[in-house]
Each structure stands twice: as structure tokens, then as C-alpha cells.
Amino acid sequence: MAMASLLLPITADIFKPPPPTPPHVFSTLFTTSRPTPTPTPTLWSLFSLGRCRRRCKFRSFASLSNAVHTQKLPFSRPTKLSPGRPALDPDPDPISALNERIRRDHGKRDASRSVMDSEEADKYIQLVKEQQQRGLQKLKGGKEKASGERFSYKVDPYSLRSGDYVVHKKVGIGRFVGIKFDVPKGSSLPTEYVFIEYADGMAKLPLKQASRLLYRYNLPNETKRPRTLSKLNDTTVWERRKTKGKLAIQKMVVDLMELYLHRLKQRRLPYPKTPSMAEFAAQFPYEPTPDQKQAFLDVEKDLTERETPMDRLICGDVGFGKTEVALRAIFCVVSAGKQAMVLAPTIVLAKQHFDVISERFSMYANIRVGLLSRFQTKSEKEEHLEMIKKGHLDIIVGTHSLLGNRVVYNNLGLLVVDEEQRFGVKQKEKIASFKTSVDVLTLSATPIPRTLYLALTGFRDASLISTPPPERVPIKTHLAAYSKEKVISAIKNELDRGGQVFYVLPRIKGLEEVMEFLEQAFPNVEIAIAHGKQYSKQLEETMEQFAQGEIKILICTNIVESGLDIQNANTIIIQDVQQFGLAQLYQLRGRVGRADKEAHAYLFYPDKTLLSDQALERLAALEECRELGQGFQLAERDMGIRGFGTIFGEQQTGDVGNIGIDLFFEMLFESLSKVDEHRVVSVPYFSVQVETNINPHLPSEYINYLDNPMELINEAEKAAEKDIWSLMQFTESLRCQYGKEPYSMEILLKKLYVRRMAADLGITRIYASGKVVVMETNMSTKVFKLITDSMASDVHRNSLVFDGNQIKAKLLLELPREQLLNWIFQCLAELYASLPALIKY
């Protein structure tokens, strides 16, 4: 028989390695248990550099590795085929398609995340649940009833007004009509009923039942009017909406959970607690408030007693001493030889932070402070970038430019973020990426709903500074319709007592018009304009002159919103107040009242009849929160008005809109409390049995072409045993070295992939019984549903059912063995694709 047509099974006899003879490869490759293969050279050592240079046209070993990672492998078009190497199919085969998906998912994930075993995950999940309980206690605010009644976002029917939209958990969205007494059948006593109008009729619910099932309907960043009302007689549309929202919530929760668990797993040495820290703290010229003292203590413990990176929110009202907390954290980190980055949303605020830090650290000659901003020339920027890279700057202050790729830190230890809500989505993502490797301290007077929510539920630590300094007095807030007479009177009162005035508009257009009006009213007063689109030097000079008291009235946009501290400016006028967000208004109001003088904030709107419901709610909330230290409560009000669509990103807005904010948030909190039910607990690779009874035979030409077939088979199984990423790298490297494998080798690789994916999915055994494929698994019903709901293919999803501890698929007919393996491979690949939405431990 000609050698070219000879097919032989892969056995130890063919290769005749030195004694002792290894066991039969295929008989042990997929057995239930087997000893770990003896150590062999690494995967890359299988493929000589010379051959890869010749066939793959890579100049170096590193370039080959890089090409595998960056998807530029030419294995589908080998330069030279040896005899017996099969021609390649130009269409991507199932393995290539799976590899592409693995690479894509891997690229989206943080490469620094290490694998965590189930026991370790249990320990960390318990820590998170304990933190959640503490967060829940904060959320309840100590108002939990003695009966232990669970905190709820359900609405009290008595607080509803006729015409309000409500959500019934089982029926859907309706319009509240009113509460009336009615006599139920079989009774003579009248009972209170809640009447709700739906698309196809009126429903009446007993008051007690309504209290358990009704939620107020709000939408984030939209009007309160829903697109349609639900139908009483057909709840299928509502159930679909609710299911879609629940699935979105579960995906958010498990992704957040995984990120948090990996942050808990990170380790760094605690910072040393030194006498110099107490000396630095003693320089603070004021007596700290009790809340400040607690915040100092919290941050010190995070840095000096914990081994996990800090992620703490300091939530304090404007002027309540958040910056001092940050300064002490910076000193602790910098004195240990690490760098600290201070990130501010505006150039004006960055410059102020730079001035404050420079002054506070002026007596420490060995600590160097630098500012990176657009105020600098190109050569100054380049010099600063080089100093940061070489470690010649210890504290770097700046705006979002600090997050750019050109900024390379020498030994970054701490990131301080001031007013995180002012940054864009991309900047927030970059900030989040720091949280797994460095300590992060976030300062905020009115935390955005996302930040507040994470603090309340325990995924972030929070220190609240709500006690005002003794010398602070509340800002007197005046809310009124706009008139020139009121504006002139307000400014005159401030100028008469030697003070300065902020005059804020929502946009640049209109600043010049106000300037003309004020110049006519106050001809001998120095007035200037400031906004973000001015030339750097012009803006810097204007702000400097205002800070020095040379300019008396500053007409500006909300560029002055965050952190600006000018003691002599104690009146702020905000025009077209309806165009600002609640957090913005609160921040702007905080620009005044920094001294012991009584401060005034004048909020002018054009005409109340022109304002939207949301704008009116914002104004009402601001009027209610006039006392000092109410930024945190205000943020909760803001969360109620604006909604939770931004908790995890704008893409959730649609899911929130379908079911309303309150129900969405309750489902979210419920899902968080049961996050451990969304875990896939993997099983050891060698414990997986794949009973397909296939023993592929490789063409002898392919066997002869391989450098060391036995070693290669061992490496294949070692890669599969490690993880799916290693198996993908092995497969693509094999194809780079030897071209596309013959069909029988593809079958072998598919068996390896099937076993690896099954192990990751918690599947211990796969077998066929007639037309039924059975997969024995440890996953729960909830996990199975979450995975299958996420599957892209209807073909596989519709064929799978969960029965006890088994996943079963009934096929249309009994498949031949190789076709059966292909079906299992494709099905597991679909299931595996849903794992990024789950915690894999």
C-alpha cells in the first residue's frame, strides 16, 4: 500500500520514544482521570525559530507571539506546503470562529485579572455580601421598622396623585385614578380600593395588595409619560419587558461583581505609618469636625492596614474639608516613594489644586509637584511628561490629559479624582481601569447616582462628611422669576459690603449681552467674562485677577462649578436655572459662603409656566435642601428625578424605560443580594468525561511532517488543561507552523475544546442516548436560564432543557459519531459565549 494513502492510529508504537514506553495517547486523552502529563518544553519550544521564519515570515520569536495575539496569523495561507499537507479551506472553520470569539472576549477583559478558584471566590463573595449589608443599612438610614420589614422601593398609594403613572409588578404600566371605598362581594363593610386605568380597562386593587405590588413610574432623563399603557387582558408584552430588564440587570450585576472580586484579590504592601504623617496633619490650621476625623481615620486604615487597593468615596458638602482628606492620603503615599495623580474636571480647578498642594508641601523639598494643562507650552508639556516618566515628579495635577497614553507613570500609587461625574464615559472607563492596581480616592459634594449607588450597596467604601465647620453659615437661597431690577439689587448689596459676584449662564451665547447690561448698570466696576473656549492665558489671567479681587463681577459659564474657593465672593446669580442639573446647581451655589459672611444665591428662571415637570422638581428639591451638609440627600433626590439609567451606562436607559426606575432598581438590588446564585463553578479538566467513542487516525504524511508528534500531543492537552486561551494559542500556533490540520486532527482538537469548555461550564459528563444528548452539570437552574437567554443561536437554545442536574438536547435524528461531536462542539461554543455575563469560578 502506498505511503500516501496509509492511515494509522496515533499510538506509542509508531514513534518509538526511549523507554519506558508512554501509555496509548488516545486511550488516555479523554478518560475520566489520569495523572498530570510529565513536564515537557513549553508550547513555543515545539516550533523552531527557523521554521517559523521560513513558513510564517516572522523575523523574531516575539513577533510570532505578537501575531498570534493580534490575529495576523497567516496559517490559512502557508507559504510552502509539504507533501501530504492538505489544502486549506478559505472559509473560517468552526475552530477558527471560536478562536476569534475567545480572542475578542479576552481583549475586552482586564489582562491583569488572575484566575480565582471556587474556595477563594466563596471567601470574597462573603466579604462583598457583608459590605452589601452595611451599604443596605446606610440606605435604610436606620429607619428599618422593628418588625424587620425589608427595605423596598414600592410606592405608598396615599402619596399618589390622580394622573400619576404607576407600575404593577404583574400587570404593567397604568395610570393612577384614585382611592375610593367600595363594598366587596359577600361583605357589608366598605373597603378601600386603588383604581388604575390600563389600555383596555379599569382595574381596582385592595389597598393592601396595591401597597405590595405598585411602584411609581419614572424615566431617566425623559418626561414621565410612558410610551403606552399595558393591557389587563394580555400581559405577555409586559412579561417580555420585565424579562428583558431582569436579564440586563443580571448581566450588569455579575460583571460588576467580577470586577469587584478581582479588585479584592489584588495585593500591595500596606503603607508604613510614620511620625511624619502626624506632623503633616498638625499643619491643618482648623479643628477637624467629627466627620472629618472619621474620614481621616478611614483613609489611613485603607492605606496602612489593608493589602487591597483603596476605592473610597469621600462625600462631603462644598467647603467641608474633603481636600484635606486627599492631602493626607497623598502625603502617606508620596512619602513612601510612590507617585500621586490628582485629576480635576476643569483647568481652573486643576490650577487651584496645584496651588493648594504646592503651598501645603512647600516645606518638603524632596516632594515635587507638577501641573499638566493646556496653559503650558509644548516644550513645557514635553518636559513634564519626561519628568513623570523618570519619577522626577511626585504629585501630578491636571485634567483628563493625565489619562492619555502619552503619560507614563514611574511608580503610581494613588489616584485622587475630584468630581468624577464631570468626566466623560471614556475617561471614567480609564479611571475604572486604575482601580485594580492603584489606590483611588474620589471626592464629591453631590455624587452622581452611579457613585452614590455603588457606595450605598457596598461595592465602594464611603466616608460621609456632613458636619459643617463651626464658622460656616447656610447660604441664603432666593428662587424667583428673572427681572433686571432684582439682579441689580442683588449685585449692589454685595458690592456695597466690599464683596465680589459670580454671574452664571448655562451657555457661552448670552455672556456678552449680560456684560453690556452690567456695564451700563455699574459703569465704574471691573467686570470680566470667563468660559472654557477662551485662550489659555486669557482665562488664567481673568481667574487670577478675580481671585486677587481686582475683578468684582465675573460673568461665566459653569466652568466655575467645581471646587473654586474665593473667600470674598459671597453672591452668585444663576440665570436660566432650569437648564442646569440639580447637582450642578448645588455645586454652583457652593462657590459662595466660603467665609464667615452670610452668602446669597439668586436662582432666576424665565417663567414657571415654561418649565418642565423635571425642572420644577429640581427647583423644589433645591429649595428644600437649603441647609448645610445636604449634598448627599440632594444626590438621592437627584437619583429619584434623573433615574438610574446611568448607573452602569446609557445603554440601560431602554431597559429602565420599559419597566420604570423604581421596579428596575428593586430588581437590581434583589439581584445583587443573590449574586452568588449567578456563578458558574468550573470543574477540573481531567474530571470531564466526553463519551463520543471517536478514535481519529492521522495521515502518516502529517505524522512524519510533525517535529515531535508525541510531545505535541502532550502540549495540546497541557494547553487544554490550563485554560481556553492557552488552547486557542496552541491551535493557532500549530496552524502557523504546519498549516491547516487534516480533518482527523481537527476532530482531535475539537475533543480538546469540548472538554475544556465543559470544564469551564461545570459540565462533568457528556454522552448520547439515542437522539438525546445529555450533559451532567453542577450549574443551577437560574444560571442555565441566564446562559440560554443570552445565546445567539435559536437552534441550540430551543433544543436545550434543564432537568435536575442535567442539560438535555433532543435531536431530530440520531447523528453519526463525528457529526455528533460537531454538534456538541457548536452547542458548547454557544453556551461558552454567554460566560462573559457570568462569574466563572
Side-chain angles (χ1 to χ4, degrees), residues 67-78:
V68 170
H69 187 70
T70 56
Q71 311 171 38
K72 293 179 180 176
L73 286 168
F75 62 77
S76 62
R77 291 282 189 277

Side-chain angles (χ1 to χ4, degrees), residues 132-157:
Q132 284 180 328
Q133 287 306 309
R134 290 194 289 271
L136 183 58
Q137 289 305 316
K138 287 180 190 175
L139 188 61
K140 293 172 182 176
K143 296 174 184 175
E144 188 174 18
K145 295 180 182 177
S147 63
E149 186 178 324
R150 189 166 162 271
F151 183 83
S152 172
Y153 290 90
K154 298 176 181 70
V155 67
D156 177 2

Side-chain angles (χ1 to χ4, degrees), residues 556-620:
C556 55
T557 58
N558 64 331
I559 191 172
V560 298
E561 176 186 327
S562 298
L564 207 59
D565 187 359
I566 296 174
Q567 299 279 316
N568 197 41
N570 283 297
T571 290
I572 186 167
I573 293 167
I574 305 172
Q575 189 176 317
D576 289 332
V577 68
Q578 76 283 358
Q579 294 187 27
F580 291 93
L582 187 55
Q584 280 183 311
L585 290 173
Y586 194 76
Q587 288 278 45
L588 286 167
R589 189 174 66 173
R591 295 314 99 221
V592 296
R594 296 293 184 118
D596 52 3
K597 291 182 182 178
E598 183 178 53
H600 297 268
Y602 294 88
L603 313 182
F604 291 117
Y605 52 85
D607 184 344
K608 269 195 177 178
T609 58
L610 302 174
L611 300 183
S612 67
D613 288 345
Q614 276 193 311
L616 287 169
E617 275 198 70
R618 277 199 293 272
L619 299 184

Side-chain angles (χ1 to χ4, degrees), residues 343-346 399-401 403 417-432 448 450 649-650:
L343 198 60
T346 65
T399 58
H400 61 273
S401 59
L403 301 173
V417 186
D418 197 1
E419 302 301 344
E420 185 180 356
Q421 74 271 19
R422 296 287 306 280
F423 291 95
V425 174
K426 287 185 179 178
Q427 283 88 37
K428 285 178 186 170
E429 287 175 358
K430 189 69 186 274
I431 291 167
I448 55 172
R450 171 194 168 92
E650 289 302 322

Side-chain angles (χ1 to χ4, degrees), residues 517-724:
F517 154 58
L518 291 182
E519 281 178 336
Q520 289 176 7
F522 302 96
N524 300 318
V525 175
E526 191 67 30
I527 305 171
I529 287 177
H531 58 80
K533 291 190 177 179
Q534 288 177 318
Y535 290 113
S536 302
K537 290 295 179 187
Q538 182 187 357
L539 179 60
E540 184 178 20
E541 286 171 10
T542 301
M543 297 309 299
E544 189 66 31
Q545 287 173 352
F546 187 64
Q548 297 299 326
E550 296 169 22
I551 294 170
K552 298 299 181 184
I553 305 173
L554 184 69
I555 305 167
C556 55
T557 58
N558 64 331
I559 191 172
V560 298
E561 176 186 327
S562 298
L564 207 59
D565 187 359
I566 296 174
Q567 299 279 316
N568 197 41
N570 283 297
T571 290
I572 186 167
I573 293 167
I574 305 172
Q575 189 176 317
D576 289 332
V577 68
Q578 76 283 358
Q579 294 187 27
F580 291 93
L582 187 55
Q584 280 183 311
L585 290 173
Y586 194 76
Q587 288 278 45
L588 286 167
R589 189 174 66 173
R591 295 314 99 221
V592 296
R594 296 293 184 118
D596 52 3
K597 291 182 182 178
E598 183 178 53
H600 297 268
Y602 294 88
L603 313 182
F604 291 117
Y605 52 85
D607 184 344
K608 269 195 177 178
T609 58
L610 302 174
L611 300 183
S612 67
D613 288 345
Q614 276 193 311
L616 287 169
E617 275 198 70
R618 277 199 293 272
L619 299 184
L622 203 66
E623 279 189 295
E624 288 175 28
C625 297
R626 288 182 175 185
E627 296 301 313
L628 290 171
Q630 290 189 304
F632 203 69
Q633 291 89 331
L634 196 75
E636 287 183 315
R637 288 292 301 271
D638 196 25
M639 190 155 45
I641 294 167
R642 292 198 297 129
F644 305 106
T646 55
I647 291 174
F648 291 89
E650 289 302 322
Q651 66 270 27
Q652 273 76 47
T653 300
D655 299 314
V656 181
N658 281 333
I659 58 177
I661 293 164
D662 290 350
L663 178 56
F664 183 90
F665 194 65
E666 179 157 287
M667 288 164 66
L668 180 58
F669 208 92
E670 186 180 338
S671 188
L672 275 167
S673 66
K674 299 176 181 176
V675 71
D676 50 342
E677 296 178 5
H678 300 146
R679 290 174 61 200
V680 169
V681 181
S682 60
V683 296
Y685 173 78
F686 287 117
S687 71
V688 179
Q689 302 175 58
V690 181
E691 299 171 12
T692 53
N693 195 25
I694 302 176
N695 293 309
H697 293 66
L698 298 187
S700 56
E701 302 95 315
Y702 188 69
I703 293 171
N704 292 335
Y705 190 69
L706 300 176
D707 285 344
N708 189 332
M710 274 299 297
E711 189 175 288
L712 187 139
I713 294 299
N714 276 339
E715 285 294 339
E717 190 161 6
K718 281 180 69 178
E721 180 190 0
K722 187 177 179 184
D723 55 40
I724 195 83

Side-chain angles (χ1 to χ4, degrees), residues 115-125 261 265 267:
V115 177
M116 189 183 293
D117 62 40
S118 296
E119 286 185 18
E120 198 174 16
D122 284 336
K123 181 178 73 174
Y124 287 125
I125 283 176
L261 289 176
K265 188 175 168 61
R267 288 288 179 269

Side-chain angles (χ1 to χ4, degrees), residues 274-460:
T274 61
S276 59
M277 289 169 62
E279 293 168 12
F280 182 83
Q283 298 169 25
F284 188 50
Y286 306 102
E287 176 63 29
T289 62
D291 288 348
Q292 255 187 316
K293 287 179 182 176
Q294 186 59 49
F296 295 151
L297 190 63
D298 290 342
V299 173
E300 186 179 296
K301 282 184 176 179
D302 286 348
L303 294 173
T304 62
E305 297 180 18
R306 284 189 181 183
E307 294 184 343
T308 53
M310 171 176 69
D311 181 16
R312 182 169 291 275
L313 166 69
I314 305 295
C315 182
D317 225 330
V318 287
F320 277 32
K322 300 186 297 297
T323 305
E324 178 61 23
V325 179
L327 289 172
R328 296 187 187 190
I330 290 168
F331 183 82
C332 176
V333 170
V334 171
S335 57
K338 298 229 177 182
Q339 291 175 308
M341 171 177 29
V342 180
L343 198 60
T346 65
I347 296 169
V348 171
L349 184 55
K351 178 69 165 60
Q352 181 174 294
H353 278 311
F354 173 73
D355 293 339
V356 170
I357 293 168
S358 297
E359 183 183 346
R360 191 68 190 278
F361 285 85
S362 58
M363 63 178 65
Y364 300 93
N366 60 323
I367 296 176
R368 294 144 299 184
V369 186
L371 174 67
L372 195 68
S373 78
R374 65 182 175 91
F375 286 160
Q376 295 165 319
T377 63
K378 189 175 181 181
S379 60
E380 285 175 333
K381 280 183 183 175
E382 292 299 327
E383 183 185 354
H384 273 69
L385 289 171
E386 190 64 23
M387 290 175 73
I388 295 168
K389 186 175 181 179
K390 291 183 176 178
H392 296 161
L393 281 180
D394 303 291
I395 306 170
I396 305 101
V397 187
T399 58
H400 61 273
S401 59
L402 290 180
L403 301 173
N405 294 330
R406 295 197 62 211
V407 186
V408 180
Y409 297 92
N410 181 272
N411 189 14
L412 186 64
L414 174 68
L415 168 63
V416 177
V417 186
D418 197 1
E419 302 301 344
E420 185 180 356
Q421 74 271 19
R422 296 287 306 280
F423 291 95
V425 174
K426 287 185 179 178
Q427 283 88 37
K428 285 178 186 170
E429 287 175 358
K430 189 69 186 274
I431 291 167
S433 71
F434 279 103
K435 291 183 180 179
T436 55
S437 55
V438 302
D439 293 277
V440 179
L441 189 65
T442 306
L443 313 178
S444 184
T446 51
I448 55 172
R450 171 194 168 92
T451 310
L452 175 69
Y453 167 72
L454 295 181
L456 291 176
T457 52
F459 282 106
R460 287 176 76 175

